[in-house]
Amino acid sequence: MEKNDWIAGGIFIALGIGIFILTIPFPSLDKGHPGPALFPNILAALFIFFGLLLGLKAKKPSVDKPLENSTAAASIPKNIGNAFFILGIIAAFMVLESWLGFLLTSFFLLFLLMKKLGTSAWKSLTLSVLVTVFVYFLFYKILRVPLSPGFLSW
Amino acid sequence: MDFIIQGLSLLFVPKVLLILAISCVYGLFVGAMPGLTATMAAALLIPFTFFMDPVPALASIVAMSAMAIFAGDIPAALVRIPGTPSSAAYTQDSFELTKQGQGEMVLGVDVVFSVIGGLIGAIILMVSAPLLAEVAMTFTTFEFFWLAALGLSATVMVSRGSQVKGALAMILGLFLSTIGVDITLGFPRFTFGSVELLNGVNFIPAMIGLFGLSEVIRNVMEPHIAYPIAKVRAGKIFYGMTALVKKYKLNITRSSLLGTFIGILPGAGADIAAWLAYAVSKRGSKEPEKYGTGSIEAIVDAGTANNACLAGAWVPAMVFGIPGDSITAIVIGVLFMKGLRPGPMIFERSPEMVYAVYFSFILANLLMIPFGYLAIKTSAQMLRVPKKILMPAILMFCMVGSFAINNSLFDVGMMLVMGIIGFFLEANGFPVAPVVLGLVLGPILEKNFMMSMIKTEWDFLPFFYRPVSAILCTLTIIIWFFPFLAAFLERAKKKNQV
């Protein structure tokens, strides 16, 4: 956790510096009083201050208690591939939903994800259809969310 | 009296009652599933509340959260894994008693004392909120600024783990709240030319990402474990409860008050209430040696406190618009979405809705008896639902729920970014709740500060010499210096011992 705290501290300091730079062109209020830049600049200063504090504390033995019920805080990730797969599924949803339509995209992505997580092919197939139909019915039919029909709109 | 009748008539409508019942089942299921939290359940519920009227929207969140907090006790007793963090404090005691053949009684205690705690919390909410609202009516921008500052300071103070990390998480939330058009000149800040960002970070996809997607990522990374489920006969779970209520009446009073008070503190949720009630209970118990090895008294105290805490968190949310925990932060977001501004004026403008919320608490807690009983009866089946099926379904709800608010894929992208941020924060020991509170309180803090400064032509003094402002300012400063004071007192105590 200590090495991670160093990195996290560095990221927050960089974020603080970045905010300072980005707020340079922000306008001021009348009579030169600070305007839209004031609050972000205070936050940038706080990012740098607490980022430094986190880095300095990381040098000392950590007294941080692990979060309750958060195995992620303590354990080394075992299936990092699954996490990347999830991110890929979301990206694919954003690309495919308007083109393939919700029904096909949802079925296809759910099937892929269930298979990847170790569900048998038949179970994945059946459950992907069921979940897709349920979500479609709930959002499209009941809540009237305009889910894309894709090329099925022909 | 008219408002009471109006509140009841808003709630006791077949459609609202049906929504309430569905929310109860949803809360019970999520709460009973280890690894899923009540906050995640609330985040996934928001897209649905978007399409509801305010009363069913709020009632569904109340019912869902009360059920989820109770249902977290079920896997604690049966598989020694708390369903939600709120049950973690007494998981060991629950499971040890189950192993000793007292599982039926433990589950009965979980239901009955959750109901009692929830009802007492609701009564305190009903009594204290209108009184505080009258005081809050006199507040100006100066007091609201300090209230927001006090809320944020308390959030950092009570954040789990390191306070430095809590502070950084809160500042991140505050920074996210600055994205979009600023309130003084209408200048676009950190939008990078994106039209979608002009209105700021959309609260709903942000919540779904922080609490929903991050949980999905965390769960799929963990290896699949089939829990050995303890077999418990759940036929007469309420047998002997009257005697236990009589025996522990003082514990009930103490823990309900403590739980509600913890709920009122911004940032402190039901898990902290349970841990504190557990610690206080152990200190005051005649049998402290039983704690951790199967103490029914521990379960009574902590189980009462975590449910009382829920209603407590609604006090600052409704009266001041300052959320008491992550769930009420979501509630405030829902209220804004409905065009309602939480704060003292809501008691004047929509008193019938306030009463409907009170009655939602009462009703949700009373419904916990039959619904809780059914959940216990079906718990073995619920706990067998594999995550490899559940997680893809939740992910689909996250994506479609984010899309549904503006029918925009940009919001799905926003959910993705916030999910990654939430996951990395939690994986590195940063609490996520302060991010949400920062996101909600940021605009209140900035708006009230800038309005005050423009009003007084940049004179800072009114922030300090107005009586209520001065009190709130002093409290905020005390909170800032409390860690240093505590460390100093600790050192002094150690020196004296040497």
Side-chain angles (χ1 to χ4, degrees):
Chain A
M1 193 71 84
E2 280 170 28
K3 190 185 163 196
N4 288 357
D5 284 357
W6 264 91
I7 298 168
I11 291 171
F12 282 117
I13 293 168
L15 185 60
I17 294 168
I19 295 169
F20 271 129
I21 295 167
L22 285 170
T23 54
I24 292 170
F26 283 14
S28 305
L29 297 180
D30 292 341
K31 298 176 192 170
H33 290 308
L38 176 65
F39 202 57
N41 280 338
I42 294 171
L43 296 176
L46 289 172
F47 267 133
I48 294 169
F49 174 74
F50 282 104
L52 280 171
L53 211 59
L54 187 67
L56 287 173
K57 277 189 87 176
K59 280 174 114 178
K60 295 177 188 171
S62 176
V63 289
D64 295 352
K65 289 175 215 158
L67 292 178
E68 301 302 335
N69 203 33
S70 173
T71 44
S75 65
I76 298 162
K78 291 183 177 64
N79 292 316
I80 197 152
N82 285 349
F84 282 110
F85 201 80
I86 292 278
L87 305 184
I89 290 280
I90 300 170
F93 181 87
M94 290 170 71
V95 173
L96 296 175
E97 201 263 349
S98 50
W99 177 58
L100 271 182
F102 172 76
L103 287 171
L104 283 178
T105 309
S106 168
F107 163 74
F108 176 64
L109 296 179
L110 280 171
F111 177 76
L112 275 182
L113 185 56
M114 284 187 196
K115 241 356 242 121
K116 167 78 180 161
L117 295 180
T119 312
S120 67
W122 276 110
K123 240 185 191 174
S124 301
L125 202 70
T126 319
L127 289 166
S128 303
V129 171
L130 286 177
V131 173
T132 299
V133 170
F134 180 68
V135 173
Y136 182 78
F137 183 76
L138 198 61
F139 282 91
Y140 188 78
K141 294 286 179 188
I142 298 179
L143 302 178
R144 307 263 172 221
V145 175
L147 296 171
S148 166
F151 67 80
L152 289 177
S153 63
W154 297 349
Chain B
M1 192 64 189
D2 282 352
F3 299 129
I4 295 175
I5 294 164
Q6 282 176 29
L8 284 170
S9 62
L10 282 172
L11 192 64
F12 285 91
V13 175
K15 191 181 157 190
V16 179
L17 293 175
L18 179 68
I19 290 171
L20 207 76
I22 294 170
S23 306
C24 287
V25 174
Y26 169 62
L28 287 169
F29 179 74
V30 174
M33 291 300 296
L36 305 183
T37 62
T39 316
M40 188 210 81
L44 286 180
L45 196 60
I46 332 173
F48 298 99
T49 60
F50 182 76
F51 298 94
M52 297 176 197
D53 290 330
V55 169
L58 295 176
S60 66
I61 296 175
V62 167
M64 182 284 299
S65 49
M67 295 293 165
I69 297 296
F70 148 70
D73 298 349
I74 300 173
L78 300 184
V79 292
R80 212 182 72 172
I81 301 173
T84 65
S86 320
S87 307
Y90 49 102
T91 294
Q92 188 66 26
D93 291 277
S94 299
F95 191 68
E96 288 298 330
L97 284 167
T98 302
K99 278 202 305 192
Q100 293 161 24
Q102 297 185 61
E104 201 171 16
M105 185 185 64
V106 170
L107 292 168
V109 165
D110 288 337
V111 180
V112 171
F113 289 88
S114 292
V115 171
I116 295 173
L119 287 174
I120 295 176
I123 293 165
I124 296 172
L125 167 72
M126 289 167 79
V127 173
S128 62
L131 295 175
L132 283 170
E134 273 186 38
V135 178
M137 285 287 193
T138 60
F139 284 13
T140 62
T141 51
F142 302 101
E143 285 80 19
F144 275 109
F145 165 77
W146 280 119
L147 260 181
L150 181 66
L152 289 166
S153 308
T155 302
V156 174
M157 187 66 211
V158 298
S159 54
R160 289 178 289 177
S162 153
Q163 281 160 352
V164 173
K165 288 181 176 179
L168 280 165
M170 179 206 69
I171 299 162
L172 183 64
L174 288 173
F175 169 66
L176 291 172
S177 80
T178 64
I179 295 173
V181 172
D182 109 287
I183 52 143
T184 53
L185 294 175
F187 185 80
R189 294 187 297 198
F190 313 114
T191 56
F192 305 102
S194 161
V195 179
E196 286 91 346
L197 281 177
L198 283 176
N199 285 328
V201 172
N202 193 334
F203 186 75
I204 298 174
M207 290 303 99
I208 296 175
L210 282 171
F211 293 109
L213 179 60
S214 64
E215 292 271 346
V216 172
I217 298 175
R218 189 167 63 77
N219 274 288
V220 296
M221 285 173 74
E222 285 168 7
H224 175 67
I225 303 162
Y227 313 113
I229 304 167
K231 279 192 180 151
V232 173
R233 277 188 61 228
K236 294 176 181 172
I237 60 166
F238 300 119
Y239 184 76
M241 288 303 131
T242 318
L244 280 177
V245 171
K246 279 182 189 163
K247 186 178 175 186
Y248 293 118
K249 53 183 183 294
L250 283 176
N251 299 55
I252 294 170
T253 314
R254 181 183 61 199
S255 298
S256 301
L257 291 174
L258 181 69
T260 314
F261 175 72
I262 297 294
I264 292 170
L265 287 179
D271 49 342
I272 294 176
W275 281 109
L276 265 177
Y278 187 93
V280 172
S281 174
K282 190 176 179 182
R283 190 169 279 189
S285 174
K286 286 174 188 159
E287 299 166 312
E289 70 285 352
K290 279 192 177 177
Y291 283 64
T293 58
S295 161
I296 206 75
E297 192 179 359
I299 303 171
V300 165
D301 270 300
T304 307
N306 61 15
N307 265 65
C309 175
L310 283 180
W314 281 67
V315 176
M318 285 176 77
V319 176
F320 307 116
I322 307 284
D325 60 4
S326 323
I327 294 176
T328 43
I330 291 170
V331 168
I332 287 177
V334 169
L335 284 171
F336 274 120
M337 210 163 65
K338 302 278 165 207
L340 294 163
R341 201 187 142 75
M345 291 311 285
I346 209 169
F347 289 78
E348 275 213 347
R349 288 182 188 153
S350 316
E352 69 290 346
M353 204 193 70
V354 174
Y355 278 98
V357 170
Y358 295 159
F359 297 131
S360 308
F361 268 103
I362 304 279
L363 188 60
N365 280 294
L366 293 176
L367 283 174
M368 202 184 285
I369 297 170
F371 275 93
Y373 180 72
L374 288 174
I376 289 166
K377 280 291 218 186
T378 54
S379 54
Q381 284 78 20
M382 275 202 287
L383 286 166
R384 282 200 190 97
V385 176
K387 283 189 181 172
K388 58 188 177 182
I389 290 170
L390 198 58
M391 289 305 136
I394 292 177
L395 179 67
M396 191 48 69
F397 273 97
C398 288
M399 292 192 289
V400 182
S402 304
F403 174 83
I405 306 306
N406 293 319
N407 308 322
S408 156
L409 286 169
F410 180 85
D411 286 341
V412 181
M414 174 70 73
M415 183 268 304
L416 173 65
V417 172
M418 297 306 284
I420 295 170
I421 292 175
F423 172 76
F424 275 106
L425 286 178
E426 202 166 42
N428 289 292
F430 289 85
V432 180
V435 181
V436 184
L437 295 175
L439 197 57
V440 172
L441 292 176
I444 301 173
L445 190 78
E446 186 180 14
K447 188 177 140 196
N448 285 297
F449 179 77
M450 293 307 278
M451 279 169 66
S452 306
M453 295 314 286
I454 292 168
K455 237 174 6 190
T456 59
E457 296 195 338
W458 296 84
D459 179 9
F460 283 91
L461 279 177
F463 278 105
F464 305 102
Y465 68 61
R466 291 173 59 87
V468 181
S469 267
I471 293 169
L472 292 170
C473 166
T474 312
L475 286 173
T476 308
I477 291 168
I478 288 172
I479 289 179
W480 290 348
F481 286 97
F482 186 78
F484 302 105
L485 188 70
F488 175 77
L489 289 174
E490 187 72 21
R491 265 203 298 271
K493 199 175 159 190
K494 271 183 190 165
K495 258 186 190 173
N496 282 344
Q497 278 171 352
V498 172

